[in-house]
Amino acid sequence: MHKVLSFHQGRLPLLISMPHAGLGLTPAVRDGLVDQARSLPDTDWHIPLLYDFARELGASVVAAQYSRFVIDLNRPEDDKPLYAGATTGLYPATLFEGEPLFKDGLTPSADERATYLEQIWRPYHDTIKHELARLREAFGYALLWDAHSIRSHIPHLFEGKLPDFNLGTFNGASCDAQLAERLKGVCAGAEGYSHVLNGRFKGGHITRHYGNPAQHIHAVQLELAQSTYMEEIEPFTYREDLARPTQVVLNGLLETLLAWGRERYGK
């Protein structure tokens, strides 16, 4: 197994997680994919590039190196569904549009997938767990930002056009309510962008599992419409002209997150 994640340790009580940014494939997955999946269309494209300001800001950053087509790091290891209706699991079987992901008879074996769980999923979650523990020990609290993006139109998953900024706090369970309202206010003040709190995307396993306000760990997921920073069709080109103003909003969200933490906890 090649390198399964990248990790940068920052100087502030903020960890940014990027579980769906990876492009790596194992031989079994690569050989089994249907033709329309070979371009990895369901990737959270360019998320590390879009958040390239975060390290300078002082955040810790963990990013997946393997594609979600191998194993989905934002799903629980028992693969219990997180959303009602159409969704994808720990080992995706379909593309976002609902078509089969693998050719007949070429789905990776159970043994192969058990290896993905141990060698890809678990190291990623161990990194999150250990870094959040370190931050809470150092600062008395920890902030977790789970960074995602998705095509703005996917009829199989949701109706119509997705809002630009989709904040998720698992219906208020993963972070302080005042913090969520402040983040919502940043989005409301971002001219030309739409937003929603706990709409179609309320937060996946990472947000739900690690967010624990009672233990001073506050987690927020952002599902960003890809139309805000890139071309949504192949070859999925990054658009600097779109990305720059979107980065201003993202920076505002992270600065608000950090400011709230300093006010609440005194450091």
Side-chain angles (χ1 to χ4, degrees), residues 192-263:
Y193 294 97
S194 56
H195 72 280
V196 69
L197 173 63
N198 292 315
R200 171 61 177 83
F201 296 98
K202 303 178 189 299
H205 174 66
I206 290 170
T207 305
R208 301 180 191 200
H209 181 71
Y210 295 102
N212 189 341
Q215 296 297 316
H216 311 297
I217 299 176
H218 302 269
V220 179
Q221 176 178 294
L222 176 62
E223 190 77 68
L224 185 66
Q226 290 178 343
S227 55
T228 62
Y229 71 94
M230 61 173 277
E231 297 291 347
E232 295 188 316
I233 59 173
E234 197 175 344
F236 310 114
T237 305
Y238 187 80
R239 290 270 304 274
E240 280 282 358
D241 59 318
L242 297 175
R244 280 193 299 272
T246 300
Q247 286 177 311
V248 172
V249 184
L250 291 173
N251 187 74
L253 286 165
L254 297 183
E255 290 279 18
T256 297
L257 189 71
L258 289 163
W260 176 87
R262 287 191 296 269
E263 290 176 23

Side-chain angles (χ1 to χ4, degrees), residues 114-125:
T115 301
Y116 305 161
L117 183 68
E118 289 303 318
Q119 297 187 13
I120 301 174
W121 189 95
R122 207 166 302 287
Y124 193 87
H125 283 270

Side-chain angles (χ1 to χ4, degrees), residues 84-223:
T87 186
T88 54
L90 180 66
Y91 303 107
T94 62
L95 290 159
F96 282 170
E97 299 291 359
E99 302 97 337
L101 183 60
F102 293 100
K103 299 172 185 174
D104 286 346
L106 291 181
T107 300
S109 68
D111 286 346
E112 184 85 12
R113 285 176 161 174
T115 301
Y116 305 161
L117 183 68
E118 289 303 318
Q119 297 187 13
I120 301 174
W121 189 95
R122 207 166 302 287
Y124 193 87
H125 283 270
D126 284 346
T127 300
I128 292 177
K129 180 174 65 176
H130 293 148
E131 181 61 4
L132 290 176
R134 185 189 74 83
L135 293 176
R136 193 172 62 169
E137 176 68 23
F139 296 93
Y141 69 104
L143 305 169
L144 174 61
W145 185 265
D146 205 37
H148 296 261
S149 73
I150 194 169
R151 295 194 304 280
S152 59
H153 286 92
I154 304 180
H156 184 64
L157 296 184
F158 50 82
E159 293 183 6
K161 185 178 188 294
L162 195 69
D164 297 321
F165 286 80
N166 299 265
L167 295 166
T169 65
F170 193 29
N171 291 328
S174 70
C175 88
D176 183 272
Q178 284 190 335
L179 172 56
E181 285 303 313
R182 286 201 193 181
L183 296 172
K184 189 178 174 183
V186 173
C187 292
E191 188 174 351
Y193 294 97
S194 56
H195 72 280
V196 69
L197 173 63
N198 292 315
R200 171 61 177 83
F201 296 98
K202 303 178 189 299
H205 174 66
I206 290 170
T207 305
R208 301 180 191 200
H209 181 71
Y210 295 102
N212 189 341
Q215 296 297 316
H216 311 297
I217 299 176
H218 302 269
V220 179
Q221 176 178 294
L222 176 62
E223 190 77 68

